[in-house]
């Protein structure tokens, strides 16, 4: 029984000694959060160290992490209103603290002093301001642009017709009729492709009852006289 008690006492003493040694090697990290002069007071903000330890800032923005061991640590400020830099902290065996600040991952790094003084870079804007009504926004609509162009052409058409001669007016009238009747347009295109375009006004040769044209009979009579 005495031996068991003695072994238990030695274990407790050994654990207490390890705790004292670790506390002697541990470092306290302190800092303070600041806002631009035009901004109001910062609310209590959550701050994490290596995503395993967390604390909250005080009314004046100060915060503390106790018993930080040697090594490299990452400090983040989780604010819902303002954007703060990330801080990488290196605690050396001699008790020295080296800190590096960067605004966002991949941004240029710069050394800063300890205790930390971190100023907000910008304020988060979650909502986009609604744009007011503008008369010029109407002209950005494609349908409105088509209507304006069509109306302008209708207004300019009479003036354009005044400067045309009768032949040009007749040609434009035929084109408008073709556009209104798709069958006529297709027939005209077919005639153009067949090589007969533009000969609609030339009368076709007359054919007699025997199926021979007048021109053909005259030609045959001339050949008979020559023979």
């Amino acid at each position: 029984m005495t031996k068991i008690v003695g072994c238990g006492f030695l274990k407790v003493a050994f654990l207490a000694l390890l705790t004292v040694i670790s506390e002697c090697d541990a470092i306290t990290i302190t800092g303070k959060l600041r806002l631009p002069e035009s901004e109001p007071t910062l609310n209590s903000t959550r701050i994490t160290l290596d995503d395993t330890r967390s604390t909250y800032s005080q009314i004046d923005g100060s915060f503390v992490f106790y018993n930080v061991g040697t090594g490299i640590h990452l400090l983040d400020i989780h604010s819902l209103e303002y954007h703060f830099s990330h801080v990488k902290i290196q605690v050396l065996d001699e008790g020295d603290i080296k800190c590096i600040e960067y605004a966002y991952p991949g941004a240029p790094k710069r050394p800063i002093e300890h205790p930390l003084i971190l100023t907000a870079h910008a304020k988060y804007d979650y909502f986009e301001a609604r744009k007011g009504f503008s008369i010029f926004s109407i002209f950005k609509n494609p349908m409105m642009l088509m209507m304006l162009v069509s109306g302008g052409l209708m207004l300019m058409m009479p003036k354009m017709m005044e400067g045309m001669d009768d032949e040009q007016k007749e040609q434009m009238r035929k084109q408008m009729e073709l556009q209104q009747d798709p069958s006529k347009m297709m027939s005209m295109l077919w005639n153009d492709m067949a090589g007969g375009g533009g000969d609609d006004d030339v009368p076709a040769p007359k054919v007699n009852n025997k199926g021979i044209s007048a021109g053909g009979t005259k030609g045959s009579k001339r050949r008979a006289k020559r023979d």
Side-chain angles (χ1 to χ4, degrees), residues 203-209 211-217:
K206 297 181 179 180
V207 181
N208 56 14
N209 297 331
I212 302 174
S213 64
T217 56

Side-chain angles (χ1 to χ4, degrees), residues 2-128:
T2 305
K3 291 181 179 181
I4 295 174
V5 174
C7 292
F9 178 76
L10 290 175
K11 289 180 180 180
V12 172
F14 181 72
L15 292 174
L17 180 62
L18 290 177
T19 303
V20 171
I21 293 173
S22 63
E23 289 181 355
C24 292
D25 294 337
I27 300 297
T28 300
I29 295 176
T30 60
K32 189 173 184 178
L33 304 181
R34 286 183 178 178
L35 296 179
E37 296 180 356
S38 60
E39 298 294 334
T41 306
L42 179 66
N43 296 327
S44 182
T45 305
R46 182 170 176 263
I47 306 166
T48 60
L49 189 67
D50 297 331
D51 290 332
T52 57
R53 302 175 59 181
S54 63
T55 186
Y56 286 87
S57 61
Q58 304 299 319
I59 298 177
D60 59 350
S62 61
F63 61 90
V64 180
F65 284 99
Y66 298 100
N67 301 328
V68 180
T70 57
I72 298 176
H73 308 278
L74 182 62
L75 186 140
D76 292 319
I77 294 91
H78 301 271
S79 175
L80 300 177
E81 298 179 284
Y82 300 94
H83 177 73
F84 290 88
S85 296
H86 304 275
V87 182
K88 187 174 289 185
I89 303 171
Q90 183 179 11
V91 180
L92 303 177
D93 296 334
E94 297 81 8
D96 296 335
I97 301 176
K98 294 182 178 181
C99 303
I100 297 176
E101 176 189 16
Y102 53 96
Y104 53 88
K109 300 177 176 62
R110 68 181 188 91
I112 56 176
E113 299 293 333
H114 182 268
L116 304 173
I117 303 296
L118 303 176
T119 304
H121 295 287
K123 186 176 182 179
Y124 293 124
D125 189 6
Y126 294 99
F127 302 98
E128 184 179 357

